[in-house]
């Protein structure tokens, strides 16, 4: 095994930092969607970024800040995105391509029924570092499968005893201190 010199270790460390910054973009973006915080979700993209999401293809500012997506999400009482299996391939020091699996759970009312919708798919993304900051330059969402089903009326836990998620600015994450003591 070849011995690593300090320059090699510096490059490896920088690549690990870059990878973490890119992964964090997915987490902040999906938190923004789940909390209906369009500003947070939009902050993960360059201003000229393109989004392809179902029938929509255009600038991310039109997708998020235009309000259509947040209005569509208004029918859901709860939305939870789970991002997994992030594969990031670096093209050069300022460009990377990525694929990430995403699974979304959404609850809504349909008359007097509570419905759980789920969708599983993938984000295909081009990440670009501009002025030292990684953001998404282009994103395509691929929907691989989906399902809707009625909630079981005899769910065994009383969730009313727990704090529940809300939307920006009322969700506890915007007010809760992560510091101890």
């Amino acid at each position: 095994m070849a011995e690593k010199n300090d320059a090699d270790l510096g490059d490896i460390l920088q690549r690990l930092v870059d990878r973490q910054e890119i992964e964090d973009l997915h987490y902040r973006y999906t938190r923004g969607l789940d909390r209906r915080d369009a500003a947070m979700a939009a902050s993960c993209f360059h201003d000229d970024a393109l989004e392809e999401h179902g029938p929509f293809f255009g600038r991310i500012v039109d997708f998020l800040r235009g309000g259509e997506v947040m209005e569509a999400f208004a029918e859901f009482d709860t939305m939870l995105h789970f991002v997994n299996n992030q594969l990031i391939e670096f093209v050069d020091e300022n460009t990377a391509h990525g694929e990430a699996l995403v699974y979304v759970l959404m609850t809504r009312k349909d008359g007097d029924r509570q419905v759980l919708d789920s969708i599983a798919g993938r984000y295909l993304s081009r990440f670009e570092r501009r002025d030292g900051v990684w953001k998404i330059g282009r994103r395509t969402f691929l929907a691989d499968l989906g399902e809707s089903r009625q909630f079981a009326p005899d769910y065994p836990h009383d969730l009313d005893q727990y704090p529940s998620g809300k939307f920006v600015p009322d969700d506890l994450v915007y007010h809760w201190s992560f510091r101890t003591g």
Side-chain angles (χ1 to χ4, degrees):
M1 185 166 164
E3 191 171 310
K4 302 267 187 234
N5 63 40
D6 288 344
D8 291 338
L9 291 176
D11 291 344
I12 291 168
L13 180 59
Q14 183 60 54
R15 186 55 50 94
L16 290 171
V17 169
D18 293 342
R19 182 176 301 281
Q20 188 61 56
E21 289 176 2
I22 289 170
E23 287 183 9
D24 285 352
L25 291 170
H26 282 135
Y27 301 139
R28 282 198 317 274
Y29 173 70
T30 57
R31 177 193 265 183
L33 294 181
D34 291 343
R35 303 283 58 89
R36 293 188 197 148
D37 186 342
M40 176 182 284
S43 74
C44 300
F45 293 81
H46 290 292
D47 289 338
D48 61 347
L50 297 174
E51 172 79 11
E52 184 175 5
H53 202 112
F56 179 88
F57 179 77
R59 292 174 13 140
I60 192 66
V61 293
D62 297 326
F63 181 69
L64 290 172
R65 295 183 189 144
E68 286 181 36
V69 71
M70 293 301 166
E71 286 175 20
F73 290 167
E75 79 171 289
F76 298 106
D77 300 318
T78 303
M79 182 176 287
L80 298 170
H81 285 74
F82 301 89
V83 180
N84 304 291
N85 298 14
Q86 296 190 55
L87 177 64
I88 299 165
E89 298 173 339
F90 289 89
V91 176
D92 57 42
E93 65 183 27
N94 294 311
T95 309
H97 296 159
E99 176 186 33
L101 303 183
V102 61
Y103 182 64
V104 187
L105 297 174
M106 303 162 283
T107 62
R108 62 182 167 84
K109 293 197 177 25
D110 184 8
D112 61 347
R113 299 179 327 133
Q114 186 74 12
V115 177
L116 175 66
D117 294 327
S118 60
I119 189 167
R122 293 171 286 151
Y123 291 137
L124 303 181
S125 305
R126 184 180 71 237
F127 303 97
E128 301 168 352
R129 178 173 28 208
R130 299 182 194 170
D131 299 321
V133 178
W134 284 102
K135 290 190 178 187
I136 301 164
R138 174 147 184 193
R139 155 79 50 79
T140 298
F141 174 67
L142 303 174
D144 293 324
L145 58 96
E147 175 186 30
S148 289
R149 58 186 150 128
Q150 186 172 349
F151 266 66
D154 58 349
Y155 183 74
H157 304 289
D158 184 2
L159 294 181
D160 291 337
Q161 295 179 21
Y162 297 88
S164 63
K166 307 266 188 277
F167 304 108
V168 67
D170 300 320
D171 190 82
L172 189 59
V173 75
Y174 294 98
H175 307 283
W176 190 74
S177 174
F178 291 94
R179 292 172 272 157
T180 58

